[in-house]
Amino acid sequence: MSGEAGLAEARRALPDVVLTDLQMRPVGGLELCRRLHEIDHDLPVIVITGASDLRSALESFRAGAQDYLVKPLQYDTVVRSVEHAIARRDAKREQGELYRTLNERLVLSSIREQEHAEAEARQRAQLNTLLGNLDEGVVIADSSGRVLMANAAARTILGFRDEDLGTIAALNAVEVHDLEGRPLAHAERPIMRALRGEHFVDQEVLCIRPSGERRRVVSTGACVNADRGDVALAIVVFRDVTELKRLEQQRDEYVSLITHDLRSPLSAILLSVGGIKRSMEQMGMPVRPAERVERNVARMTGMLDELTEATSLESHGVALQRLPLDLQKLVASVVDGMGDAAVRRITIDADDTVPYVVLGDRSRLERVVGNLLANALKYSAEEAPVNARLSRTGNEVELDVIDRGIGISPDDAKMLFHRYYRASTASDRASGLGLGLYIARLIVEAQGGRIDVSSVLGQGSTFRLFLPSHSPPKPSG
Ligand code: ADP
Protein backbone atom coordinates (compact mmCIF):
# COMPACT_ATOMS: atom_id res chain seq x y z
CA MET A 1 0.00 0.00 0.00
CA SER A 2 1.29 3.47 -0.76
CA GLY A 3 1.68 6.15 1.88
CA GLU A 4 -1.33 8.07 0.55
CA ALA A 5 -3.53 4.97 0.49
CA GLY A 6 -2.43 4.23 4.06
CA LEU A 7 -3.41 7.75 5.12
CA ALA A 8 -6.84 7.47 3.53
CA GLU A 9 -7.41 4.08 5.17
CA ALA A 10 -6.30 5.39 8.56
CA ARG A 11 -8.81 8.28 8.25
CA ARG A 12 -11.57 5.83 7.44
CA ALA A 13 -10.84 2.92 9.80
CA LEU A 14 -9.36 4.80 12.78
CA PRO A 15 -6.91 1.95 13.58
CA ASP A 16 -5.37 1.17 16.96
CA VAL A 17 -1.91 0.95 15.47
CA VAL A 18 -0.22 1.53 12.08
CA LEU A 19 2.75 -0.45 10.76
CA THR A 20 4.53 1.22 7.87
CA ASP A 21 7.51 0.83 5.66
CA LEU A 22 9.88 3.76 5.20
CA GLN A 23 10.55 3.64 1.47
CA MET A 24 7.31 4.54 -0.31
CA ARG A 25 6.44 7.04 -2.97
CA PRO A 26 5.31 9.74 -3.24
CA VAL A 27 4.48 9.85 0.53
CA GLY A 28 7.21 8.08 2.50
CA GLY A 29 6.93 6.39 5.88
CA LEU A 30 8.19 9.41 7.87
CA GLU A 31 5.79 11.81 6.13
CA LEU A 32 2.95 9.34 6.71
CA CYS A 33 3.87 9.14 10.36
CA ARG A 34 3.72 12.96 10.75
CA ARG A 35 0.43 13.24 8.89
CA LEU A 36 -1.15 10.38 10.83
CA HIS A 37 -0.33 12.25 14.03
CA GLU A 38 -2.09 15.30 12.68
CA ILE A 39 -5.23 13.13 12.57
CA ASP A 40 -4.66 11.37 15.92
CA HIS A 41 -1.86 12.53 18.11
CA ASP A 42 -1.82 9.31 20.14
CA LEU A 43 -1.92 6.84 17.22
CA PRO A 44 1.07 4.47 17.59
CA VAL A 45 3.12 4.11 14.37
CA ILE A 46 5.64 1.28 14.09
CA VAL A 47 8.26 1.65 11.37
CA ILE A 48 9.35 -1.55 9.66
CA THR A 49 12.37 -1.21 7.45
CA GLY A 50 15.17 -3.02 5.78
CA ALA A 51 17.60 -0.15 6.49
CA SER A 52 19.15 -0.63 9.88
CA ASP A 53 21.14 2.59 9.99
CA LEU A 54 21.07 4.78 13.03
CA ARG A 55 20.16 7.94 11.13
CA SER A 56 16.90 6.63 9.71
CA ALA A 57 16.01 5.13 13.12
CA LEU A 58 16.54 8.58 14.75
CA GLU A 59 14.55 10.31 12.05
CA SER A 60 11.72 7.81 12.52
CA PHE A 61 11.57 8.47 16.23
CA ARG A 62 11.75 12.23 15.61
CA ALA A 63 8.81 11.91 13.21
CA GLY A 64 6.86 10.33 16.10
CA ALA A 65 7.31 6.61 15.48
CA GLN A 66 6.66 4.40 18.44
CA ASP A 67 9.00 1.60 17.46
CA TYR A 68 11.53 0.81 14.77
CA LEU A 69 11.72 -2.78 13.60
CA VAL A 70 14.35 -4.06 11.17
CA LYS A 71 13.61 -6.84 8.69
CA PRO A 72 13.70 -9.78 8.61
CA LEU A 73 11.14 -9.94 11.35
CA GLN A 74 10.03 -12.59 13.77
CA TYR A 75 6.27 -12.82 14.11
CA ASP A 76 6.54 -12.60 17.92
CA THR A 77 8.65 -9.45 17.71
CA VAL A 78 5.96 -7.69 15.67
CA VAL A 79 3.15 -8.88 17.97
CA ARG A 80 5.08 -7.75 21.07
CA SER A 81 5.78 -4.38 19.51
CA VAL A 82 2.10 -3.92 18.54
CA GLU A 83 0.88 -4.96 21.99
CA HIS A 84 3.37 -2.70 23.64
CA ALA A 85 2.42 0.24 21.40
CA ILE A 86 -1.31 -0.22 22.12
CA ALA A 87 -0.70 -0.59 25.85
CA ARG A 88 1.32 2.62 25.89
CA ARG A 89 -1.34 4.45 23.95
CA ASP A 90 -4.07 3.23 26.35
CA ALA A 91 -1.97 4.21 29.35
CA LYS A 92 -1.36 7.62 27.82
CA ARG A 93 -5.08 8.09 27.15
CA GLU A 94 -5.97 7.04 30.69
CA GLN A 95 -3.37 9.39 32.04
CA GLY A 96 -4.77 12.15 29.84
CA GLU A 97 -8.29 11.39 31.10
CA LEU A 98 -7.11 11.42 34.67
CA TYR A 99 -5.26 14.62 34.15
CA ARG A 100 -8.30 16.22 32.53
CA THR A 101 -10.58 15.15 35.42
CA LEU A 102 -8.09 16.40 37.95
CA ASN A 103 -7.73 19.61 36.11
CA GLU A 104 -11.48 20.04 35.91
CA ARG A 105 -11.77 19.46 39.64
CA LEU A 106 -9.01 21.91 40.34
CA VAL A 107 -10.64 24.52 38.16
CA LEU A 108 -14.03 23.88 39.78
CA SER A 109 -12.67 24.08 43.30
CA SER A 110 -10.75 27.23 42.54
CA ILE A 111 -13.93 28.77 41.07
CA ARG A 112 -15.80 27.70 44.22
CA GLU A 113 -13.08 29.11 46.43
CA GLN A 114 -13.22 32.36 44.58
CA GLU A 115 -17.01 32.49 44.84
CA HIS A 116 -16.73 31.69 48.54
CA ALA A 117 -14.14 34.42 49.06
CA GLU A 118 -16.31 36.88 47.13
CA ALA A 119 -19.40 35.96 49.18
CA GLU A 120 -17.39 36.33 52.38
CA ALA A 121 -16.06 39.70 51.28
CA ARG A 122 -19.61 40.76 50.37
CA GLN A 123 -20.93 39.63 53.77
CA ARG A 124 -18.07 41.37 55.56
CA ALA A 125 -18.79 44.56 53.63
CA GLN A 126 -22.51 44.30 54.44
CA LEU A 127 -21.76 43.65 58.11
CA ASN A 128 -19.36 46.58 58.21
CA THR A 129 -21.92 48.86 56.58
CA LEU A 130 -24.54 47.64 59.03
CA LEU A 131 -22.30 48.11 62.05
CA GLY A 132 -21.06 51.41 60.66
CA ASN A 133 -24.63 52.72 60.48
CA LEU A 134 -25.64 51.58 63.96
CA ASP A 135 -26.17 54.15 66.69
CA GLU A 136 -24.95 51.55 69.17
CA GLY A 137 -21.23 51.18 69.67
CA VAL A 138 -19.88 47.71 68.92
CA VAL A 139 -16.45 46.50 70.01
CA ILE A 140 -15.15 43.01 69.25
CA ALA A 141 -11.88 41.96 70.88
CA ASP A 142 -9.96 38.69 71.10
CA SER A 143 -8.31 37.08 74.08
CA SER A 144 -4.86 38.24 72.97
CA GLY A 145 -5.86 41.84 73.63
CA ARG A 146 -6.51 42.96 70.06
CA VAL A 147 -9.58 44.97 69.13
CA LEU A 148 -10.74 43.29 65.92
CA MET A 149 -13.59 45.65 65.24
CA ALA A 150 -14.80 48.94 66.66
CA ASN A 151 -17.49 50.74 64.71
CA ALA A 152 -17.78 54.49 64.23
CA ALA A 153 -20.39 54.83 66.99
CA ALA A 154 -18.07 53.10 69.47
CA ARG A 155 -15.32 55.62 68.74
CA THR A 156 -17.68 58.57 68.96
CA ILE A 157 -19.24 57.42 72.24
CA LEU A 158 -15.86 56.79 73.86
CA GLY A 159 -14.23 59.89 72.36
CA PHE A 160 -11.61 58.13 70.23
CA ARG A 161 -10.21 59.31 66.96
CA ASP A 162 -10.53 56.93 64.00
CA GLU A 163 -7.19 55.19 64.25
CA ASP A 164 -6.84 54.94 68.02
CA LEU A 165 -8.76 51.87 69.08
CA GLY A 166 -6.58 48.91 68.12
CA THR A 167 -6.09 47.24 71.49
CA ILE A 168 -7.91 46.53 74.72
CA ALA A 169 -5.19 48.49 76.50
CA ALA A 170 -6.24 51.56 74.48
CA LEU A 171 -9.89 50.87 75.35
CA ASN A 172 -9.00 50.51 79.02
CA ALA A 173 -7.31 53.89 78.98
CA VAL A 174 -10.81 55.40 79.02
CA GLU A 175 -11.72 56.33 82.58
CA VAL A 176 -14.85 54.46 83.68
CA HIS A 177 -16.79 55.16 86.87
CA ASP A 178 -19.81 53.57 88.49
CA LEU A 179 -23.00 55.64 88.78
CA GLU A 180 -21.91 56.93 92.19
CA GLY A 181 -18.78 58.33 90.51
CA ARG A 182 -16.27 55.80 91.94
CA PRO A 183 -13.63 54.46 89.52
CA LEU A 184 -14.72 51.05 88.28
CA ALA A 185 -12.46 48.10 89.15
CA HIS A 186 -10.52 46.90 86.10
CA ALA A 187 -12.20 43.48 86.24
CA GLU A 188 -15.65 45.09 86.27
CA ARG A 189 -15.19 46.94 83.00
CA PRO A 190 -17.65 45.65 80.39
CA ILE A 191 -14.96 44.38 77.99
CA MET A 192 -13.09 42.57 80.78
CA ARG A 193 -16.32 40.90 81.94
CA ALA A 194 -17.09 39.75 78.39
CA LEU A 195 -13.51 38.44 78.03
CA ARG A 196 -14.00 36.42 81.21
CA GLY A 197 -16.95 34.74 79.50
CA GLU A 198 -19.73 36.64 81.27
CA HIS A 199 -22.95 37.38 79.43
CA PHE A 200 -24.58 40.49 80.87
CA VAL A 201 -27.15 43.11 79.94
CA ASP A 202 -27.51 46.79 80.69
CA GLN A 203 -24.44 47.51 82.76
CA GLU A 204 -24.64 51.26 83.26
CA VAL A 205 -21.43 53.22 83.79
CA LEU A 206 -20.02 56.72 83.43
CA CYS A 207 -17.33 57.05 80.76
CA ILE A 208 -15.04 60.03 80.93
CA ARG A 209 -13.82 61.02 77.48
CA PRO A 210 -10.25 62.22 76.96
CA SER A 211 -11.78 65.73 76.67
CA GLY A 212 -13.11 65.31 80.23
CA GLU A 213 -16.74 65.04 79.09
CA ARG A 214 -18.84 62.52 81.07
CA ARG A 215 -21.19 60.21 79.22
CA ARG A 216 -23.62 57.69 80.68
CA VAL A 217 -23.20 54.44 78.80
CA VAL A 218 -25.23 51.24 78.98
CA SER A 219 -23.44 48.07 77.86
CA THR A 220 -24.41 44.53 77.01
CA GLY A 221 -21.71 41.91 76.69
CA ALA A 222 -21.28 38.40 75.37
CA CYS A 223 -18.49 36.12 74.23
CA VAL A 224 -17.78 33.46 71.63
CA ASN A 225 -16.00 30.37 72.88
CA ALA A 226 -13.29 28.48 71.00
CA ASP A 227 -13.52 24.69 70.58
CA ARG A 228 -11.72 24.07 73.87
CA GLY A 229 -14.22 26.27 75.68
CA ASP A 230 -11.88 29.22 76.24
CA VAL A 231 -13.14 32.66 75.30
CA ALA A 232 -12.11 33.41 71.73
CA LEU A 233 -13.97 36.67 71.15
CA ALA A 234 -15.61 39.20 73.44
CA ILE A 235 -18.37 41.41 72.09
CA VAL A 236 -19.66 44.52 73.83
CA VAL A 237 -22.56 46.56 72.47
CA PHE A 238 -23.22 49.89 74.14
CA ARG A 239 -25.29 53.00 73.78
CA ASP A 240 -24.95 56.53 75.03
CA VAL A 241 -27.95 57.31 77.25
CA THR A 242 -26.70 60.67 78.53
CA GLU A 243 -29.32 62.66 76.64
CA LEU A 244 -32.09 60.23 77.52
CA LYS A 245 -31.20 60.42 81.22
CA ARG A 246 -31.11 64.21 81.05
CA LEU A 247 -34.60 64.28 79.52
CA GLU A 248 -35.84 61.79 82.12
CA GLN A 249 -34.45 63.95 84.88
CA GLN A 250 -36.09 67.01 83.34
CA ARG A 251 -39.39 65.14 83.14
CA ASP A 252 -39.11 64.07 86.78
CA GLU A 253 -38.42 67.63 87.82
CA TYR A 254 -41.49 68.89 85.93
CA VAL A 255 -43.63 66.14 87.41
CA SER A 256 -42.56 66.93 90.97
CA LEU A 257 -43.06 70.65 90.33
CA ILE A 258 -46.53 70.12 88.90
CA THR A 259 -47.63 67.65 91.59
CA HIS A 260 -46.33 69.98 94.28
CA ASP A 261 -48.09 72.99 92.75
CA LEU A 262 -51.37 71.11 92.29
CA ARG A 263 -51.46 69.70 95.79
CA SER A 264 -51.92 73.08 97.54
CA PRO A 265 -55.00 74.24 95.56
CA LEU A 266 -56.51 70.76 95.93
CA SER A 267 -56.11 70.89 99.74
CA ALA A 268 -57.66 74.35 99.68
CA ILE A 269 -60.62 73.04 97.62
CA LEU A 270 -61.07 70.12 100.03
CA LEU A 271 -61.05 72.45 102.99
CA SER A 272 -63.59 74.82 101.42
CA VAL A 273 -65.86 71.97 100.28
CA GLY A 274 -65.80 70.60 103.85
CA GLY A 275 -66.99 74.00 105.08
CA ILE A 276 -69.64 74.29 102.35
CA LYS A 277 -70.86 70.75 103.12
CA ARG A 278 -71.26 71.56 106.81
CA SER A 279 -73.17 74.78 106.00
CA MET A 280 -75.44 72.90 103.58
CA GLU A 281 -76.11 70.29 106.23
CA GLN A 282 -77.02 73.00 108.72
CA MET A 283 -79.38 74.57 106.16
CA GLY A 284 -80.91 71.15 105.48
CA MET A 285 -79.75 71.16 101.86
CA PRO A 286 -78.64 67.97 100.02
CA VAL A 287 -74.88 67.46 100.37
CA ARG A 288 -74.36 65.02 97.50
CA PRO A 289 -72.89 67.61 95.08
CA ALA A 290 -70.32 68.58 97.73
CA GLU A 291 -69.51 64.90 98.33
CA ARG A 292 -69.00 64.39 94.62
CA VAL A 293 -66.47 67.24 94.63
CA GLU A 294 -64.76 65.61 97.64
CA ARG A 295 -64.57 62.26 95.83
CA ASN A 296 -63.09 63.86 92.71
CA VAL A 297 -60.55 65.80 94.74
CA ALA A 298 -59.60 62.54 96.52
CA ARG A 299 -59.17 60.86 93.12
CA MET A 300 -56.96 63.66 91.85
CA THR A 301 -54.89 63.53 95.03
CA GLY A 302 -54.53 59.76 94.50
CA MET A 303 -53.25 60.36 90.98
CA LEU A 304 -50.77 62.95 92.21
CA ASP A 305 -49.57 60.44 94.82
CA GLU A 306 -49.03 57.86 92.08
CA LEU A 307 -47.09 60.34 89.96
CA THR A 308 -44.87 61.28 92.87
CA GLU A 309 -44.32 57.67 93.84
CA ALA A 310 -43.48 56.51 90.29
CA THR A 311 -41.02 59.38 89.85
CA SER A 312 -39.34 58.76 93.18
CA LEU A 313 -39.11 54.99 92.60
CA GLU A 314 -37.46 55.60 89.24
CA SER A 315 -34.99 58.21 90.40
CA HIS A 316 -34.03 56.84 93.79
CA GLY A 317 -34.75 53.14 93.37
CA VAL A 318 -37.00 51.22 95.71
CA ALA A 319 -35.82 51.55 99.30
CA LEU A 320 -37.61 48.76 101.10
CA GLN A 321 -38.18 47.59 104.58
CA ARG A 322 -38.04 43.82 104.68
CA LEU A 323 -39.94 42.50 107.64
CA PRO A 324 -41.90 39.25 108.02
CA LEU A 325 -45.59 39.87 107.41
CA ASP A 326 -48.62 37.67 106.87
CA LEU A 327 -50.04 38.34 103.42
CA GLN A 328 -53.45 36.94 104.39
CA LYS A 329 -53.81 39.48 107.21
CA LEU A 330 -52.50 42.23 104.98
CA VAL A 331 -55.12 41.47 102.28
CA ALA A 332 -57.90 41.37 104.92
CA SER A 333 -56.87 44.74 106.33
CA VAL A 334 -56.64 46.31 102.87
CA VAL A 335 -60.14 45.07 102.01
CA ASP A 336 -61.42 46.39 105.33
CA GLY A 337 -60.04 49.80 104.58
CA MET A 338 -61.79 49.93 101.19
CA GLY A 339 -65.27 50.57 102.55
CA ASP A 340 -68.49 48.63 102.83
CA ALA A 341 -69.19 48.25 99.13
CA ALA A 342 -65.77 46.66 98.59
CA VAL A 343 -66.14 44.36 101.61
CA ARG A 344 -69.46 43.15 100.20
CA ARG A 345 -67.95 42.30 96.82
CA ILE A 346 -64.55 40.86 97.75
CA THR A 347 -64.11 37.34 99.13
CA ILE A 348 -60.79 36.07 100.45
CA ASP A 349 -59.89 32.39 99.99
CA ALA A 350 -57.06 31.05 102.12
CA ASP A 351 -56.19 27.98 104.16
CA ASP A 352 -56.04 29.14 107.77
CA THR A 353 -53.52 26.44 108.67
CA VAL A 354 -50.97 27.67 106.11
CA PRO A 355 -48.65 30.57 106.98
CA TYR A 356 -48.57 33.09 104.13
CA VAL A 357 -45.59 34.90 105.57
CA VAL A 358 -43.39 36.92 103.24
CA LEU A 359 -40.50 39.27 103.86
CA GLY A 360 -41.70 42.64 102.68
CA ASP A 361 -42.42 46.30 103.07
CA ARG A 362 -45.90 46.55 104.62
CA SER A 363 -47.00 49.97 103.38
CA ARG A 364 -45.71 49.34 99.85
CA LEU A 365 -47.38 45.92 99.64
CA GLU A 366 -50.62 47.42 100.94
CA ARG A 367 -50.52 49.85 98.03
CA VAL A 368 -49.88 47.03 95.54
CA VAL A 369 -52.68 44.82 96.88
CA GLY A 370 -54.99 47.84 97.22
CA ASN A 371 -54.34 48.75 93.59
CA LEU A 372 -55.05 45.23 92.32
CA LEU A 373 -58.30 45.02 94.29
CA ALA A 374 -59.38 48.55 93.33
CA ASN A 375 -58.74 47.75 89.65
CA ALA A 376 -60.69 44.50 89.93
CA LEU A 377 -63.67 46.46 91.31
CA LYS A 378 -63.18 49.40 88.94
CA TYR A 379 -62.98 47.34 85.75
CA SER A 380 -66.01 45.12 86.40
CA ALA A 381 -69.75 45.63 86.77
CA GLU A 382 -71.11 47.46 89.86
CA GLU A 383 -71.96 44.39 91.92
CA ALA A 384 -69.69 41.80 90.28
CA PRO A 385 -67.76 39.66 92.78
CA VAL A 386 -63.99 39.82 93.18
CA ASN A 387 -61.96 37.01 94.67
CA ALA A 388 -58.58 37.25 96.43
CA ARG A 389 -57.06 33.77 96.63
CA LEU A 390 -53.93 32.91 98.56
CA SER A 391 -51.79 29.83 98.04
CA ARG A 392 -48.30 28.65 98.86
CA THR A 393 -46.15 26.68 96.46
CA GLY A 394 -42.51 25.81 97.08
CA ASN A 395 -40.78 28.91 98.31
CA GLU A 396 -43.42 31.31 97.09
CA VAL A 397 -46.63 32.81 98.35
CA GLU A 398 -49.11 33.58 95.58
CA LEU A 399 -51.98 36.01 95.67
CA ASP A 400 -54.50 35.84 92.81
CA VAL A 401 -56.94 38.71 92.38
CA ILE A 402 -59.72 37.37 90.18
CA ASP A 403 -62.51 39.43 88.67
CA ARG A 404 -65.29 38.81 86.16
CA GLY A 405 -64.97 42.20 84.57
CA ILE A 406 -64.21 43.64 81.16
CA GLY A 407 -61.01 41.64 80.68
CA ILE A 408 -57.88 42.64 78.79
CA SER A 409 -56.80 41.87 75.21
CA PRO A 410 -53.56 39.87 74.78
CA ASP A 411 -51.83 42.92 73.22
CA ASP A 412 -52.79 45.15 76.13
CA ALA A 413 -51.83 42.47 78.66
CA LYS A 414 -48.24 42.56 77.41
CA MET A 415 -48.00 46.30 78.05
CA LEU A 416 -50.00 46.82 81.27
CA PHE A 417 -47.02 46.91 83.59
CA HIS A 418 -45.36 49.70 81.59
CA ARG A 419 -45.43 53.32 82.64
CA TYR A 420 -48.63 55.26 81.73
CA TYR A 421 -50.14 52.33 79.83
CA ARG A 422 -53.92 52.09 79.85
CA ALA A 423 -55.94 49.62 77.81
CA SER A 424 -58.29 51.11 75.21
CA THR A 425 -61.19 49.67 77.24
CA ALA A 426 -60.17 51.59 80.37
CA SER A 427 -60.67 55.24 79.53
CA ASP A 428 -64.43 55.23 79.10
CA ARG A 429 -64.94 53.34 82.41
CA ALA A 430 -62.68 54.95 84.94
CA SER A 431 -60.13 57.68 85.20
CA GLY A 432 -56.51 56.84 85.95
CA LEU A 433 -52.96 57.52 84.86
CA GLY A 434 -51.88 53.99 84.05
CA LEU A 435 -49.24 54.09 86.78
CA GLY A 436 -50.68 51.74 89.44
CA LEU A 437 -49.53 48.47 87.84
CA TYR A 438 -46.20 50.00 86.83
CA ILE A 439 -45.55 51.00 90.44
CA ALA A 440 -46.74 47.56 91.58
CA ARG A 441 -44.23 45.86 89.29
CA LEU A 442 -41.33 48.03 90.50
CA ILE A 443 -42.19 47.29 94.14
CA VAL A 444 -42.80 43.57 93.70
CA GLU A 445 -39.63 43.03 91.66
CA ALA A 446 -37.59 44.94 94.24
CA GLN A 447 -38.86 42.41 96.81
CA GLY A 448 -37.65 39.49 94.70
CA GLY A 449 -41.16 38.70 93.43
CA ARG A 450 -43.06 39.03 90.20
CA ILE A 451 -46.48 39.97 88.92
CA ASP A 452 -48.40 38.89 85.84
CA VAL A 453 -51.87 38.74 84.39
CA SER A 454 -54.02 36.30 82.47
CA SER A 455 -57.27 37.50 81.03
CA VAL A 456 -60.04 36.87 78.55
CA LEU A 457 -61.57 39.94 76.98
CA GLY A 458 -65.17 40.35 78.16
CA GLN A 459 -64.90 37.61 80.77
CA GLY A 460 -62.50 38.78 83.43
CA SER A 461 -58.90 38.89 84.58
CA THR A 462 -56.61 37.25 87.10
CA PHE A 463 -53.68 39.27 88.40
CA ARG A 464 -51.10 37.03 90.08
CA LEU A 465 -48.61 38.25 92.60
CA PHE A 466 -45.71 35.98 93.63
CA LEU A 467 -43.52 36.80 96.61
CA PRO A 468 -40.72 34.76 98.17
CA SER A 469 -42.05 33.16 101.34
CA HIS A 470 -40.32 33.74 104.65
CA SER A 471 -39.58 30.70 106.78
CA PRO A 472 -38.81 31.45 110.42
CA PRO A 473 -35.36 30.30 111.49
CA LYS A 474 -35.39 26.73 112.80
CA PRO A 475 -35.03 26.55 116.59
CA SER A 476 -31.49 25.43 117.39
CA GLY A 477 -30.75 22.25 119.42
P1 ADP B 1 -55.11 52.93 86.04
O1 ADP B 1 -56.12 51.95 86.55
O2 ADP B 1 -54.90 54.07 86.96
O3 ADP B 1 -55.35 53.34 84.63
P2 ADP B 1 -53.18 50.81 86.36
O4 ADP B 1 -51.71 50.83 86.11
O5 ADP B 1 -53.63 50.36 87.68
O6 ADP B 1 -53.69 52.25 86.00
O7 ADP B 1 -53.80 49.89 85.25
C1 ADP B 1 -53.41 50.06 83.92
C2 ADP B 1 -54.47 49.64 82.95
O8 ADP B 1 -54.67 48.25 83.07
C3 ADP B 1 -55.83 50.21 83.25
O9 ADP B 1 -55.94 51.47 82.65
C4 ADP B 1 -56.75 49.21 82.61
O10 ADP B 1 -56.79 49.44 81.21
C5 ADP B 1 -56.00 47.90 82.80
N1 ADP B 1 -56.49 47.11 83.94
C6 ADP B 1 -55.94 47.05 85.16
N2 ADP B 1 -56.59 46.18 85.94
C7 ADP B 1 -57.59 45.68 85.19
C8 ADP B 1 -58.65 44.72 85.43
N3 ADP B 1 -58.79 44.11 86.60
N4 ADP B 1 -59.48 44.45 84.39
C9 ADP B 1 -59.35 45.06 83.20
N5 ADP B 1 -58.39 45.98 82.92
C10 ADP B 1 -57.53 46.28 83.89
Side-chain angles (χ1 to χ4, degrees):
M1 195 185 282
S2 73
E4 266 176 333
L7 206 55
E9 183 58 16
R11 275 204 187 94
R12 190 192 62 78
L14 302 174
D16 286 331
V17 63
V18 173
L19 294 105
T20 177
D21 211 340
L22 275 183
Q23 306 301 330
M24 294 180 294
R25 285 185 195 280
V27 176
L30 294 183
E31 178 65 12
L32 175 67
C33 186
R34 279 190 208 97
R35 289 174 65 178
L36 281 171
H37 284 158
E38 281 167 14
I39 301 167
D40 176 358
H41 187 261
D42 294 333
L43 180 63
V45 179
I46 299 170
V47 170
I48 299 174
T49 179
S52 64
D53 60 307
L54 187 62
R55 197 161 146 259
S56 75
L58 274 176
E59 275 177 352
S60 298
F61 285 123
R62 270 188 209 126
Q66 178 81 66
D67 207 352
Y68 183 87
L69 304 179
V70 181
K71 295 178 199 165
L73 290 167
Q74 298 285 332
Y75 176 74
D76 285 355
T77 314
V78 178
V79 169
R80 252 199 322 279
S81 175
V82 167
E83 281 173 353
H84 187 218
I86 292 176
R88 272 188 66 176
R89 184 208 56 184
D90 288 349
K92 203 171 158 195
R93 278 191 183 159
E94 256 170 43
Q95 213 177 17
E97 197 57 38
L98 201 69
Y99 182 75
R100 245 193 320 280
T101 319
L102 260 175
N103 214 19
E104 246 170 45
R105 280 198 199 142
L106 268 175
V107 169
L108 270 179
S109 83
S110 88
I111 289 173
R112 263 190 225 122
E113 244 169 50
Q114 196 178 340
E115 281 174 357
H116 194 65
E118 279 170 11
E120 237 176 40
R122 232 183 356 260
Q123 274 175 0
R124 210 172 309 124
Q126 280 168 351
L127 187 67
N128 281 342
T129 316
L130 186 80
L131 292 176
N133 287 330
L134 277 184
D135 287 337
E136 277 82 11
V138 181
V139 169
I140 303 176
D142 68 12
S143 51
S144 75
R146 268 185 316 153
V147 169
L148 305 180
M149 216 279 314
N151 68 351
R155 293 197 181 84
T156 311
I157 293 171
L158 301 175
F160 276 94
R161 282 178 314 190
D162 273 1
E163 61 283 2
D164 291 347
L165 194 46
T167 60
I168 292 177
L171 188 63
N172 282 344
V174 177
E175 246 185 274
V176 179
H177 291 180
D178 65 18
L179 293 186
E180 270 73 52
R182 292 180 298 252
L184 203 68
H186 180 74
E188 287 312 306
R189 285 168 166 265
I191 191 73
M192 301 317 290
R193 290 179 66 187
L195 273 174
R196 268 204 311 277
E198 273 186 56
H199 288 236
F200 56 91
V201 287
D202 293 349
Q203 182 186 7
E204 197 166 336
V205 294
L206 280 174
C207 285
I208 298 154
R209 288 181 176 169
S211 62
E213 199 185 346
R214 287 167 174 260
R215 308 298 298 179
R216 255 171 108 137
V217 174
V218 176
S219 308
T220 294
C223 66
V224 177
N225 289 330
D227 293 343
R228 285 169 299 146
D230 309 341
V231 173
L233 292 178
I235 301 159
V236 177
V237 178
F238 48 98
R239 54 186 200 284
D240 188 334
V241 292
T242 317
E243 198 52 23
L244 191 73
K245 293 287 166 188
R246 196 183 61 74
L247 287 172
E248 273 180 14
Q249 194 182 344
Q250 215 172 50
R251 183 205 58 198
D252 293 350
E253 281 165 11
Y254 283 142
V255 168
S256 55
L257 259 177
I258 291 166
T259 49
H260 179 265
D261 285 358
L262 284 177
R263 242 181 251 281
S264 328
L266 279 179
S267 321
I269 293 172
L270 209 56
L271 216 67
S272 311
V273 172
I276 294 170
K277 202 168 101 181
R278 272 193 303 281
S279 311
M280 289 169 116
E281 265 168 352
Q282 281 161 12
M283 288 189 281
M285 290 168 72
V287 292
R288 285 184 62 181
E291 281 174 352
R292 200 174 308 130
V293 175
E294 273 179 342
R295 272 200 307 279
N296 279 316
V297 170
R299 229 179 22 231
M300 284 185 78
T301 313
M303 288 186 194
L304 291 181
D305 287 346
E306 278 189 343
L307 265 178
T308 315
E309 185 165 16
T311 316
S312 110
L313 287 174
E314 282 168 355
S315 342
H316 312 115
V318 188
L320 290 170
Q321 274 193 327
R322 289 174 69 85
L323 295 171
L325 56 90
D326 187 327
L327 201 60
Q328 184 182 355
K329 288 192 186 134
L330 184 140
V331 174
S333 101
V334 171
V335 174
D336 243 17
M338 291 177 84
D340 293 346
V343 174
R344 257 200 326 275
R345 285 175 63 188
I346 301 172
T347 51
I348 302 174
D349 287 347
D351 181 345
D352 287 336
T353 61
V354 174
Y356 298 106
V357 184
V358 296
L359 262 194
D361 185 310
R362 177 175 296 279
S363 63
R364 303 266 201 200
L365 279 181
E366 278 173 354
R367 279 188 66 89
V368 173
V369 172
N371 183 257
L372 293 182
L373 290 169
N375 279 350
L377 297 172
K378 193 159 79 166
Y379 297 109
S380 48
E382 280 281 300
E383 294 302 321
V386 167
N387 183 220
R389 189 176 298 163
L390 284 138
S391 57
R392 204 183 144 140
T393 41
N395 295 329
E396 281 183 326
V397 173
E398 180 180 341
L399 168 67
D400 294 355
V401 176
I402 307 157
D403 68 55
R404 296 188 203 148
I406 58 172
I408 301 154
S409 73
D411 281 348
D412 282 332
K414 276 187 234 146
M415 298 300 295
L416 281 195
F417 299 96
H418 288 64
R419 186 174 22 187
Y420 299 124
Y421 193 84
R422 306 197 75 212
S424 47
T425 42
S427 47
D428 38 330
R429 288 194 70 90
S431 59
L433 289 177
L435 280 175
L437 290 177
Y438 171 61
I439 293 172
R441 177 171 66 84
L442 293 185
I443 291 174
V444 170
E445 286 176 356
Q447 315 213 117
R450 60 190 198 284
I451 185 169
D452 66 23
V453 61
S454 60
S455 183
V456 178
L457 204 57
Q459 292 189 21
S461 314
T462 299
F463 280 84
R464 295 183 306 171
L465 186 69
F466 300 88
L467 289 166
S469 63
H470 170 64
S471 330
K474 290 202 178 78
S476 54

